[in-house]
Amino acid sequence: MIMSLSNDCRLLSQRIVMLSMLLALLLSPTLFALQDKLDQQLDHYLQLAADDYEQAAALLLQLQEHDSAEHSIASRVRLYSYLTVHYLYATDEQQTDTWLQQALSLASATNDPDALADAQATEIEVLALRQQFNDAVLKAELLHQQGISASNPRSRYYAHNLLGRVFREDGQYELALKHFVDALQAVTETQDQRTQRRTMFLHQMIASIHAELKNFAQARQLIEHLIADAKTYQLDTELPEYYLLYGYIASFQDDDVLAEQVNLQGLAESQRQGHAGLALVFKNNLGAGYIKAGNFGQARTILNDALKQATDMQTPSDTHLIRFNLGYIDVAEGNHASGLAAMLEVINYFREIKLKTQLEDTLGWLAKAYALADRHQERADTLAEQMALREEILNSDRDKVISDLQSRYDNKAKAQQITILQQDNDLTHQLLRNKQLQQRITLLFVIVMLFGAVLLLQLMFKVRKTNRRLKEANKQLEYQSLRDPLTGLFNRRALQEQMQRRVSFSRRQTDICERENGFLLLDIDFFKKINDDYGHAAGDEVLKQLSERLTKACREQDLVVRWGGEEFLLYLDNVAAEQLTGFCLRILKLIASEPVLYDGKLITVSASGGFIHLPFAGITETELNWERALQIADMALYLSKVNGRNQVYAITGLRCDYATANQALSNDLQGAIRQNMVDYITIKGPPLPAKI
């Protein structure tokens, strides 16, 4: 289930970041040409830190006491950088800032490339660990633009590795990959006992970036080599992390057999090494895979085992997540009441702790459970709650992106202003020292003013350019928030905004709007079989080609929406009752008459639908709004499915008053039809062409 995969991805990311910090600390130039004795002692410090951190810390403090100007600049800056990180982890803010400033000042005064790389990278690491991430990104971008010219492989590795981590966390994956590759190049120049481990670590980081970018083929190839190398070089401690990433990749590639095999290997290795937390993750992943494959017995067995372990470990989030999955299994096996009760208990827990992302995901699976239990009203309500929460999360993410961009712009502007003020101060001192040379002072003053004006103009141009970029970014975010990335059609949010505009327009009118609009909800028949028979890429191609057909068939004022996985929604403006049959038949023919061509194969496609007018049957939208109308269209779609597919059930009117039909319309459309409460027509699609 997606429930476990998203959680595991975040856990994997946290573990990789922790590992990256440790390996960055362990890198040493033991085989490099050392400049003096201090470098040898610092190498020894790093070796001690891997086994006995207290002894290593004592050595570092001893080196602090015997600091001397007779040592090389690069070695002293290296010492100050280590002291900075030491005091940072000791939460001594004053000492951290003192040693960081000494490292920066000494490196800047000498302009030594190795010293500058160490000092600047240490400053970025301090900002990142202090959660001042915007400042860390700005410093990282500046260091990237300046370039890293250090000759010492240790300094180059440290700087490139750190920049790779910062840019990866910021979502700048191309820059992150570049710096990890550069760090890898620095590592190849070493031949010590940690070279192989550092090389494998960097390959793991690169593989994880490819996985985040959905480049699963590249990620899979890298992780398979890493697992083979770990076994060859007997680095068994790395295997659980590798198996975790490998299983994640296999799941997203829908290679369920491989995912199960890898997760079983990861579970066995985690248990052998005593990693209880990782073992719990693998059990949950295995349970999710078995649920996906419909092997509910196997899923229940391993999830019950995982539940006992999570309870013993006192991890509430894991415990609730596993109970939720077990509840879904109960529903799938027909135990609707107990299963839904367990799932609702977990939903309420996520509501209480305000874990919105987890709650949004669980609401989707709760809606599926309601569908399995034929509780369509609860399913509709749950999907509505999920849609509202998804929009809230989307708005929050967009606001954060805009806030981060604005914060970075403000910091850049402040830095430029400080630079201008410093230049003005220097010029003022120069004028005071040269009062006796009036002509030269006057000329110099004019030059300074012109220079200042140029700088101000440049600053204004940069501000305008940045503002334009912010506007462009806002437009792009707005476009992406209203469009489906696969098909380019409008999404649910676009429909919601359209409906809000419609309500606002109707409120401004003095007369009731007499235009008959309508919803046509379509669902591709046997779409899962298309995916199973031809592959998910073929399924995506079917969705894209049908999107193009539907867009061409509709008018400019209509709205074509990708409503769900294989569902489309047509919001039709001013469609009269007499046009309904012809339009629906044209849509069914457009979908079914011509197979979809993919990879030399013709894929026969048809769709089922449900239609309703808005407003419906003369009922005011205060009583029956667009959400209610859409629920009725969804139930009509369901009737099209269960009564043969390749057709549209159109609900055209009421044969009784709305108060009498209200309950049936909300919960049981089939019953309303049997009781002769509603008028409806069935529009049959064309005969399907023979499969080739």
Side-chain angles (χ1 to χ4, degrees):
M1 294 173 70
I2 298 175
M3 298 287 308
S4 63
L5 293 177
S6 60
N7 190 43
D8 299 341
C9 184
R10 290 191 292 271
L11 178 62
L12 178 61
S13 177
Q14 294 170 358
R15 295 180 186 277
I16 290 175
V17 170
M18 293 175 62
L19 184 59
S20 70
M21 294 170 60
L22 177 60
L23 288 179
L25 188 64
L26 290 177
L27 182 64
S28 69
T30 308
L31 299 180
F32 302 154
L34 301 180
Q35 293 181 332
D36 56 25
K37 185 178 179 181
L38 178 57
D39 260 325
Q40 296 175 349
Q41 293 172 316
L42 291 173
D43 290 342
H44 183 50
Y45 159 74
L46 289 179
Q47 293 172 353
L48 285 175
D51 301 316
D52 188 345
Y53 186 75
E54 290 185 1
Q55 187 178 354
L59 173 60
L60 188 63
L61 295 178
Q62 183 181 359
L63 295 177
Q64 172 188 335
E65 293 177 0
H66 294 87
D67 177 38
S68 171
E70 68 184 26
H71 297 296
S72 70
I73 298 298
S75 298
R76 294 181 69 196
V77 170
R78 182 184 176 191
L79 170 62
Y80 298 165
S81 298
Y82 290 178
L83 287 168
T84 300
V85 175
H86 167 76
Y87 284 115
L88 177 65
Y89 281 105
T91 66
D92 190 334
E93 299 287 332
Q94 182 177 355
Q95 287 289 342
T96 299
D97 292 335
T98 297
W99 289 107
L100 176 59
Q101 289 307 315
Q102 288 200 45
L104 290 169
S105 299
L106 187 57
S108 300
T110 59
N111 207 29
D112 180 275
D114 294 338
L116 282 171
D118 279 342
Q120 291 171 336
T122 301
E123 182 184 23
I124 295 169
E125 185 159 24
V126 169
L127 290 171
L129 291 173
R130 283 178 169 174
Q131 304 301 315
Q132 297 171 345
F133 193 69
N134 281 335
D135 293 334
V137 173
L138 286 173
K139 293 286 185 182
E141 290 176 345
L142 181 61
L143 181 55
H144 167 74
Q145 292 169 3
Q146 292 174 346
I148 300 169
S149 56
S151 59
N152 190 324
R154 178 196 58 77
S155 299
R156 277 190 283 118
Y157 168 84
Y158 177 45
H160 284 302
N161 180 29
L162 182 60
L163 291 184
R165 284 158 32 208
V166 170
F167 287 134
R168 176 178 178 269
E169 186 69 17
D170 193 47
Q172 301 187 54
Y173 295 116
E174 287 188 7
L175 285 180
L177 280 173
K178 176 188 180 303
H179 285 288
F180 283 133
V181 170
D182 289 341
L184 193 60
Q185 177 59 40
V187 170
T188 60
E189 298 175 27
T190 70
Q191 292 297 328
D192 59 33
Q193 58 185 349
R194 289 184 295 275
T195 296
Q196 183 62 39
R197 187 182 294 272
R198 295 191 298 266
T199 301
M200 293 171 66
F201 162 72
L202 289 170
H203 281 145
Q204 183 186 7
M205 294 298 292
I206 293 171
S208 68
I209 289 179
H210 280 305
E212 290 174 357
L213 291 172
K214 310 303 185 212
N215 299 329
F216 294 117
Q218 296 94 317
R220 180 168 174 172
Q221 184 178 15
L222 281 171
I223 202 66
E224 286 174 348
H225 283 303
L226 282 172
I227 292 173
D229 287 344
K231 293 177 179 178
T232 300
Y233 298 103
Q234 297 182 341
L235 298 174
D236 294 346
T237 55
E238 311 298 328
L239 281 173
E241 297 286 351
Y242 295 165
Y243 283 133
L244 191 61
L245 179 56
Y246 195 16
Y248 167 76
I249 293 167
S251 295
F252 268 88
Q253 288 186 312
D254 287 331
D255 194 343
D256 298 330
V257 174
L258 177 62
E260 179 186 10
Q261 176 187 345
V262 169
N263 284 323
L264 286 171
Q265 291 173 318
L267 174 60
E269 192 63 34
S270 299
Q271 290 174 332
R272 188 180 69 81
Q273 296 183 26
H275 296 317
L278 275 175
L280 181 59
V281 172
F282 283 117
K283 289 177 182 178
N284 202 26
N285 277 2
L286 283 165
Y290 292 142
I291 291 175
K292 178 181 177 184
N295 299 328
F296 299 121
Q298 287 181 284
R300 185 183 297 280
T301 299
I302 196 160
L303 287 175
N304 278 329
D305 185 24
L307 179 61
K308 182 179 182 303
Q309 181 180 344
T311 304
D312 294 339
M313 293 173 61
Q314 297 182 347
T315 54
S317 293
D318 292 334
T319 302
H320 282 85
L321 183 61
I322 295 167
R323 285 176 176 167
F324 185 92
N325 291 342
L326 287 168
Y328 184 86
I329 294 173
D330 284 339
V331 175
E333 291 181 338
N335 301 319
H336 298 163
S338 60
L340 288 171
M343 297 176 77
L344 286 170
E345 180 182 354
V346 176
I347 291 283
N348 291 331
Y349 168 77
F350 287 138
R351 286 196 183 108
E352 290 174 4
I353 65 175
K354 301 184 185 303
L355 195 58
K356 294 182 180 179
T357 303
Q358 198 80 324
L359 176 59
E360 190 271 335
D361 204 4
T362 52
L363 284 172
W365 285 98
L366 179 61
K368 292 183 179 181
Y370 278 134
L372 292 174
D374 291 326
R375 294 170 65 168
H376 299 291
Q377 181 61 48
E378 289 94 333
R379 172 180 176 267
D381 293 341
T382 302
L383 289 174
E385 181 182 358
Q386 183 192 29
M387 184 171 63
L389 183 58
R390 183 178 298 163
E391 181 179 3
E392 180 182 346
I393 294 170
L394 178 64
N395 289 336
S396 175
D397 290 344
R398 183 175 66 177
D399 291 342
K400 183 179 184 303
V401 170
I402 295 173
S403 175
D404 287 346
L405 288 173
Q406 186 64 48
S407 175
R408 293 179 193 176
Y409 160 73
D410 291 340
N411 288 340
K412 287 182 179 179
K414 288 178 183 178
Q416 290 170 333
Q417 290 172 354
I418 291 172
T419 300
I420 293 173
L421 290 173
Q422 290 174 341
Q423 291 170 341
D424 287 340
N425 288 334
D426 292 340
L427 291 171
T428 301
H429 290 309
Q430 184 66 29
L431 289 171
L432 292 174
R433 288 196 301 267
N434 296 283
K435 285 184 179 180
Q436 69 277 17
L437 304 175
Q438 293 297 327
Q439 290 182 342
R440 295 180 64 184
I441 291 175
T442 302
L443 179 61
L444 182 60
F445 178 78
V446 171
I447 294 173
V448 169
M449 292 302 295
L450 290 174
F451 183 64
V454 171
L455 288 176
L456 287 173
L457 285 173
Q458 290 178 343
L459 179 60
M460 289 174 59
F461 289 143
K462 289 181 179 178
V463 169
R464 290 178 181 176
K465 186 176 180 180
T466 303
N467 284 336
R468 284 197 298 270
R469 288 179 177 175
L470 282 172
K471 290 179 181 178
E472 291 171 359
N474 286 337
K475 288 181 181 178
Q476 186 176 6
L477 284 171
E478 182 178 3
Y479 177 85
Q480 292 174 349
S481 69
L482 297 176
R483 294 283 181 171
D484 172 60
L486 175 65
T487 63
L489 298 180
F490 289 103
N491 59 18
R492 288 173 179 253
R493 181 178 177 182
L495 177 70
Q496 187 176 30
E497 291 187 2
Q498 174 72 14
M499 293 298 100
Q500 289 173 349
R501 287 193 295 270
R502 183 176 185 276
V503 171
S504 299
F505 176 81
S506 65
R507 287 173 180 170
R508 292 197 297 269
Q509 308 305 306
T510 56
D511 298 323
I512 298 175
C513 180
E514 296 181 355
R515 297 167 67 90
E516 287 187 290
N517 299 331
F519 288 125
L520 176 56
L521 187 61
L522 297 166
D523 185 279
I524 300 173
D525 296 330
F526 304 110
F527 187 75
K528 183 178 184 302
K529 182 171 176 55
I530 293 175
N531 280 332
D532 293 341
D533 291 348
Y534 301 97
H536 286 273
D540 289 347
E541 184 62 25
V542 168
L543 292 172
K544 288 189 282 189
Q545 289 197 27
L546 292 191
S547 299
E548 293 175 1
R549 297 181 191 179
L550 292 173
T551 301
K552 291 178 181 178
C554 292
R555 301 161 298 179
E556 230 176 68
Q557 65 266 35
D558 297 332
L559 208 65
V560 184
V561 180
R562 185 180 180 193
W563 194 243
E566 64 267 24
E567 286 185 335
F568 299 93
L569 175 65
L570 308 185
Y571 171 66
L572 307 171
D573 182 67
N574 196 23
V575 55
E578 58 269 22
Q579 300 172 316
L580 173 59
T581 300
F583 178 81
C584 291
L585 182 57
R586 183 157 60 92
I587 292 296
L588 292 174
K589 287 181 177 179
L590 195 67
I591 293 172
S593 296
E594 182 181 354
V596 171
L597 177 62
Y598 175 77
D599 197 23
K601 301 184 180 94
L602 292 176
I603 303 173
T604 300
V605 182
S606 66
S608 302
F611 178 89
I612 190 171
H613 274 107
L614 183 72
F616 172 64
I619 304 167
T620 66
E621 293 186 44
T622 304
E623 295 179 273
L624 196 153
N625 58 19
W626 69 271
E627 290 98 336
R628 287 290 310 282
L630 199 52
Q631 290 175 8
I632 297 171
D634 189 34
M635 287 188 283
L637 166 63
Y638 176 76
L639 293 179
S640 296
K641 287 282 188 184
V642 300
N643 290 304
R645 294 184 170 83
N646 190 23
Q647 60 185 337
V648 171
Y649 266 61
I651 309 304
T652 57
L654 288 177
R655 296 187 176 183
C656 61
D657 61 275
Y658 177 62
T660 303
N662 183 18
Q663 186 65 28
L665 285 175
S666 299
N667 300 306
D668 186 10
L669 181 60
Q670 181 73 55
I673 292 174
R674 284 198 302 267
Q675 296 175 43
N676 205 27
M677 292 182 177
V678 299
D679 288 320
Y680 75 100
I681 57 175
T682 304
I683 301 103
K684 299 287 186 179
L688 298 180
K691 292 186 179 180
I692 296 178

